[in-house]
Amino acid sequence: MKKLSLVTLLQICIATVSFAQEFPGYGTVSNEEINLKQCEFDKDANTVMLLHEAFSGYDDERRLITLHHVRIKILKEKGFAEANVTIPFFKKDDFENIDLVEGMTINTLQNNQVENTKLERKSIYTKAINERIGEVVFAFPSIKVGSIIDYKYRSTMKTYGGLQDWDFQEQMPVMVSKYTLIISPNLEFTYRVNKAPDMPVKVTQDASSGTVYFEMHNIPGLGAEPYMDARKDYLQKIEFQLSGFNQNGQGKSNYMTTWDGVTKELTTSAEFGAQLNKNIEGTSVFIQQVKAMVTPEEKMKMVFNFVRSNLKWNNLYSKYAYEGVKAAWQKKSGSSGDINLLLINLLKEAGLDAYPMLVSERFHGKVNSAYPFIDQFNSVFACVIINNKKYYLDATDKDTPPHITPFSILNTTAFIVNRKTGGLTNITNDTLLYKENIIAQLELAENGTLSGEVQIASFDYARIKKLEEYKEDKNRFLRDHFTVYETSISTPDVEVKNIENDSLALEQKGKISGGLNSTGGYSFLPLNLFTGFDGNPFLSDNRFSNINFGYRRNVQLNMSVQLPSNYQVDEIPKSVKLSNPDKDIIFIRQVEYDKESNRLICMMLFEFKKSLYEADTYPILKEVYKRIFDYLKEPVVLKKKG
C-alpha cells in the first residue's frame, strides 16, 4: 500500500471535523500557466482546464460534503463561453445545496503584472430548471484571450446516495484532474475506472481511513461526434456504486451487489415493485373491452395506445413512481417511471405477461453487465412476452408502434426485473430497418426549369423518424427533406398520408420545381434527389467513439427525367457498385440514357446491413463514405443545342 501524502491525511481529519478545507493553490497561478498559449496534447482547443480538484467527505450529520476547485485558461475568443459557469444541483426536497462560491479572473497586464478581478456576489444567482434540478449560474468579468478563471464552491448533500461519478475528461482538454473521497464509516462503495489503455491513472487507497485518491494528467477533450453513443461512455472517469451499509451497528449488509440483489431490492421497493399490482380506478370497463379482443397482440396494442393517449409525459426520466401510479393516473401526467409502471399494471390486468425493464437509453450510456449498478439505467419500459417474443413498450413515445423496438434503446443492454424470466438482455433488431422507396418522375422544360412529381414511401424506422419531424415542425420537415442540396430545386407543397395508421408506410407526395445550376452553356442535373444523403458526416481524421446508426438502412431511388428537344446529354456518370471489405455497406448507381425518347433513367441503392461499427473500423468507414459522396456529387451534364 502506498503511503498517503500529508495533504491527503490532513484532508481526512478536516473531512470528519468541520470540512472547512481551503485549497492552498486557489488564486495563485504559475508562470507556466500565465505563459501557456496552446494545449500541446489538444492543439485545436479553445480553452484548457488547468486543474480540477475536489475533496468529498462527511460532517457530523453524515452528510456528503464536496469542495471543488476549478481553473480554466481561455486560449481563443471562441472559448469565451466557458467564462459563463453553470453548476447543476438536486434541489428536490432540498437534497443538495451549493454555497461558498468564490471566483476571480486572472489577467496579465502589459507590464507583466498580474491582475485579479474578483467575482461579485451579486452576479451569482440560482434558478430552477424543473422540480428536481436547479442551477447556480455566474459569469466572470474582464475576459480576454489569455484570461485564467479560477473558482471554488461547496456542495452539501443530505446523504451519500448523491455521490456522483468523477469525470477526468471534459469537452475541453484537462491538464490535471484529482479527486479524494472519504467514505462514511457506515457505508461501503465500490468503484471502477473507465479509461483508455494508454492513459495512466493514479489510484491510492487507505482502507483504514476509508480514503481513496484518484489522479490523471493530460486528458484530451471529447466533444460530440456524428452517430455517437452517449458521450459519457467514452469519458475517462471513475464510477461509484453503493455496495454495503451498516445496520445500526449490527454488521455490514450488502446492497445490490448482484443482479439477483437488484431484482430483490426493486421488487420490494415501495416506489417500484409495490406499484405493479395497483387497482387503477376507472379502468375496469376498459379492461373488460381489452379482454374481449381476440389476440394478445391486439390486447397489447389497445392498452399501449390507451395509456399513451391518456397520460402526458412531464419530460422527466425515472426508474420509479415516487408519488405512485395512482397519483399519475389522477393527474394524467407523470415521469417515465410513473407512466410505464402504470402501463405494466394495465397490461397485467389484461392478462398479458408484462414485466418492468430497466433501460439505459442510447443518450444515457452503456450498461456494463459485470457491474450490478442500478444507476447505469435512466428509465423503465414495459416488456411484454407473447409466444416467446419480447415487445418493448415506452408509453412516453407517441409515435413508435408496439411491434417496433423504440429507437432509443436499439443496440443497448436492458434488465428485465423478474426472478424467473428476467435478467440482462441485449436489445437488437434483425428484422425491421430504416427503409425508403423514392420514385421521381421529372421533366425538364426548354427554359431549363425542372418539374414533376416525387413519391416517397417511408417504412418502419423511416416512418417513425419522419413522422416525429413532421409533427414537430412541418416547415422544417419540408426544408430538410424536400429541398435538393446546393440547388434551387424544392418541393414546397407535400401531401403526407397514413399519419394515424402505423401499419402502413408514411406516404409523401409532392410537386417538384426549380432551375438547374448552369454555366457556360452547360446545365447540371443532380441525381441525388431526396435520399437523405446530403452531406458526409465522417470528415474528421480521428474517431474516439463507436458509430451507432441504431438501425440498418435501405434507401432506393428510381428516377426518370424527360429531356426537351433543345437539350442533349454531354456526359453521363458511369454506373458503379461499391462496397466495403465486409460487404455490409453497398452503394449501387445505374444511369441509362435512351436517345430515341430523350429520357434519362437512374437507379440508386444505399444498403447498410449493420447498425453498429466499432471505432477502430472508422478509417474504412470514412473512406467508403468519401467515395459514396464523391459519386453523389456527380451530375448529368446537359448541353443546350445552338
Side-chain angles (χ1 to χ4, degrees):
M1 179 69 68
K2 294 183 179 179
K3 292 184 179 181
L4 296 179
S5 68
L6 179 60
V7 173
T8 303
L9 292 172
L10 180 61
Q11 291 158 5
I12 297 170
C13 297
I14 292 173
T16 57
V17 184
S18 67
F19 214 82
Q21 169 69 32
E22 188 68 48
F23 293 100
Y26 171 70
T28 303
V29 294
S30 66
N31 289 331
E32 289 78 11
E33 291 172 324
I34 291 174
N35 296 326
L36 183 69
K37 305 296 183 184
Q38 183 185 61
C39 178
E40 289 301 318
F41 56 90
D42 200 340
K43 294 186 177 181
D44 294 329
N46 300 317
T47 56
V48 58
M49 186 171 288
L50 301 171
L51 172 68
H52 187 187
E53 57 181 337
F55 311 115
S56 291
Y58 54 91
D59 61 6
D60 293 339
E61 300 176 38
R62 298 295 169 88
R63 295 180 300 177
L64 175 63
I65 315 292
T66 303
L67 298 178
H68 288 265
H69 176 210
V70 179
R71 179 175 293 163
I72 296 171
K73 178 149 191 181
I74 311 296
L75 301 174
K76 303 175 184 178
E77 286 188 7
K78 291 182 179 180
F80 284 1
E82 294 298 336
N84 301 315
V85 177
T86 298
I87 303 172
F89 66 95
F90 300 103
K91 77 180 188 68
K92 185 176 176 61
D93 300 324
D94 295 322
F95 181 79
E96 183 181 9
N97 179 56
I98 302 294
D99 65 358
L100 302 184
V101 178
E102 293 184 36
M104 66 179 72
T105 304
I106 304 172
N107 285 317
T108 305
L109 305 180
Q110 291 183 349
N111 58 5
N112 291 326
Q113 293 295 309
V114 175
E115 177 185 65
N116 295 348
T117 306
K118 289 189 176 182
L119 182 69
E120 296 185 4
R121 293 195 176 277
K122 65 180 181 181
S123 66
I124 303 169
Y125 60 96
T126 302
K127 63 179 182 179
I129 301 302
N130 53 48
E131 63 181 25
R132 295 176 57 249
I133 304 298
E135 288 181 346
V136 173
V137 181
F138 48 92
F140 283 89
S142 306
I143 293 299
K144 62 181 182 179
V145 173
S147 294
I148 295 175
I149 60 174
D150 207 22
Y151 64 95
K152 59 182 180 177
Y153 63 94
R154 178 175 68 178
S155 161
T156 302
M157 295 183 176
K158 286 184 176 180
T159 70
Y160 267 70
L163 180 64
Q164 301 293 294
D165 297 339
W166 179 259
D167 294 339
F168 294 112
Q169 195 167 34
E170 304 285 347
Q171 296 233 5
M172 70 182 84
V174 180
M175 297 188 73
V176 180
S177 177
K178 48 189 179 181
Y179 179 54
T180 302
L181 172 64
I182 301 101
I183 299 298
S184 175
N186 63 326
L187 299 174
E188 282 186 359
F189 275 83
T190 58
Y191 68 86
R192 67 185 180 102
V193 181
N194 183 34
K195 72 175 190 68
D198 59 342
M199 299 194 69
V201 59
K202 177 182 178 182
V203 181
T204 307
Q205 191 166 359
D206 183 358
S208 63
S209 63
T211 303
V212 59
Y213 173 76
F214 307 94
E215 184 175 327
M216 184 178 275
H217 293 253
N218 298 341
I219 311 112
L222 178 61
E225 296 179 321
Y227 298 102
M228 187 180 190
D229 298 332
R231 176 179 170 274
K232 72 176 188 178
D233 287 342
Y234 304 95
L235 290 176
Q236 318 302 302
K237 63 181 178 179
I238 307 294
E239 296 177 315
F240 297 101
Q241 172 72 28
L242 180 64
S243 61
F245 60 96
N246 190 307
Q247 293 184 315
N248 299 322
Q250 298 178 10
K252 292 285 180 70
S253 296
N254 290 333
Y255 182 78
M256 293 196 303
T257 54
T258 65
W259 289 113
D260 287 340
V262 171
T263 298
K264 182 178 179 180
E265 179 69 23
L266 289 171
T267 53
T268 57
S269 167
E271 294 84 12
F272 193 93
Q275 298 298 318
L276 298 177
N277 295 289
K278 297 292 185 181
N279 181 19
I280 308 302
E281 185 178 354
T283 61
S284 57
V285 174
F286 168 73
I287 292 298
Q288 292 305 313
Q289 294 172 345
V290 174
K291 289 182 177 179
M293 303 299 289
V294 176
T295 68
E297 289 84 1
E298 291 174 324
K299 296 176 182 179
M300 174 180 66
K301 183 175 182 178
M302 190 171 178
V303 173
F304 182 51
N305 288 334
F306 176 78
V307 173
R308 64 178 180 174
S309 63
N310 277 281
L311 278 85
K312 182 179 180 181
W313 182 39
N314 61 13
N315 294 318
L316 294 179
Y317 296 94
S318 177
K319 301 180 283 287
Y320 305 99
Y322 287 108
E323 297 180 4
V325 294
K326 289 186 175 181
W329 176 249
Q330 290 174 353
K331 293 190 299 182
K332 295 295 185 287
S333 68
S335 68
S336 61
D338 294 323
I339 294 173
N340 287 326
L341 291 176
L342 173 63
L343 170 65
I344 296 165
N345 270 277
L346 296 181
L347 289 167
K348 292 173 67 177
E349 281 195 56
L352 297 168
D353 289 330
Y355 308 97
M357 182 177 75
L358 298 183
V359 299
S360 179
E361 295 175 272
R362 291 173 45 167
F363 73 86
H364 185 256
K366 294 179 182 178
V367 171
N368 189 320
S369 58
Y371 293 85
F373 290 4
I374 195 171
D375 288 342
Q376 295 185 97
F377 305 96
N378 73 301
S379 190
V380 60
F381 283 15
C383 174
V384 182
I385 303 177
I386 300 175
N387 297 326
N388 294 321
K389 181 179 179 180
K390 293 185 177 73
Y391 297 85
Y392 309 116
L393 310 183
D394 173 23
T396 70
D397 183 342
K398 303 298 184 183
D399 297 307
T400 302
H403 68 279
I404 294 182
T405 300
F407 174 76
S408 65
I409 60 170
L410 286 175
N411 295 327
T412 70
T413 299
F415 182 72
I416 300 173
V417 185
N418 183 268
R419 293 180 180 178
K420 293 183 179 180
T421 60
L424 293 166
T425 181
N426 293 320
I427 299 178
T428 58
N429 193 341
D430 297 326
T431 54
L432 301 179
L433 64 160
Y434 183 105
K435 182 178 180 181
E436 284 200 310
N437 291 333
I438 306 161
I439 299 175
Q441 295 180 319
L442 310 177
E443 183 175 355
L444 185 66
E446 291 185 355
N447 63 0
T449 300
L450 190 69
S451 62
E453 185 177 83
V454 60
Q455 299 181 59
I456 302 177
S458 302
F459 301 86
D460 301 339
Y461 289 106
R463 171 192 165 84
I464 295 169
K465 182 177 184 295
K466 284 197 166 180
L467 183 58
E468 288 176 346
E469 294 175 358
Y470 179 74
K471 288 181 177 180
E472 183 176 343
D473 188 332
K474 293 181 182 179
N475 291 329
R476 183 176 179 181
F477 173 80
L478 292 175
R479 184 172 65 251
D480 290 349
H481 296 290
F482 291 93
T483 299
V484 180
Y485 190 61
E486 293 184 344
T487 74
S488 63
I489 301 170
S490 64
T491 311
D493 187 18
V494 176
E495 181 184 10
V496 180
K497 296 182 178 180
N498 302 329
I499 291 175
E500 301 300 330
N501 192 336
D502 58 29
S503 62
L504 298 176
L506 187 72
E507 293 186 3
Q508 305 128 78
K509 181 186 293 186
K511 299 291 185 180
I512 295 173
S513 64
L516 300 183
N517 293 337
S518 301
T519 183
Y522 293 91
S523 296
F524 306 95
L525 174 68
L527 298 178
N528 182 27
L529 299 181
F530 313 115
T531 64
F533 290 84
D534 297 329
N536 187 352
F538 303 122
L539 300 176
S540 298
D541 292 332
N542 299 308
R543 177 86 184 194
F544 298 98
S545 62
N546 295 339
I547 301 93
N548 190 350
F549 295 113
Y551 36 61
R552 298 176 299 117
R553 290 173 292 168
N554 183 293
V555 176
Q556 183 166 334
L557 167 67
N558 290 283
M559 178 173 64
S560 68
V561 185
Q562 180 65 55
L563 301 178
S565 58
N566 62 332
Y567 274 85
Q568 66 184 36
V569 174
D570 187 76
E571 184 179 346
I572 298 178
K574 65 179 181 180
S575 295
V576 295
K577 182 175 182 180
L578 172 68
S579 66
N580 64 332
D582 291 336
K583 300 188 184 303
D584 50 53
I585 300 176
I586 297 173
F587 171 70
I588 298 174
R589 181 184 66 190
Q590 296 175 348
V591 187
E592 298 178 359
Y593 172 56
D594 184 350
K595 288 186 178 180
E596 185 174 339
S597 63
N598 205 25
R599 181 183 295 271
L600 280 163
I601 298 175
C602 175
M603 188 281 292
M604 286 199 291
L605 174 67
F606 305 81
E607 188 171 12
F608 293 76
K609 299 180 181 180
K610 276 179 60 176
S611 61
L612 180 66
Y613 294 84
E614 300 295 330
D616 58 7
T617 66
Y618 175 69
I620 295 176
L621 187 69
K622 179 188 174 187
E623 178 59 27
V624 171
Y625 259 75
K626 179 183 181 303
R627 294 177 64 186
I628 289 176
F629 278 88
D630 284 344
Y631 287 133
L632 293 179
K633 293 175 184 176
E634 296 177 348
V636 175
V637 181
L638 304 175
K639 186 176 182 180
K640 199 170 185 178
K641 296 178 181 179

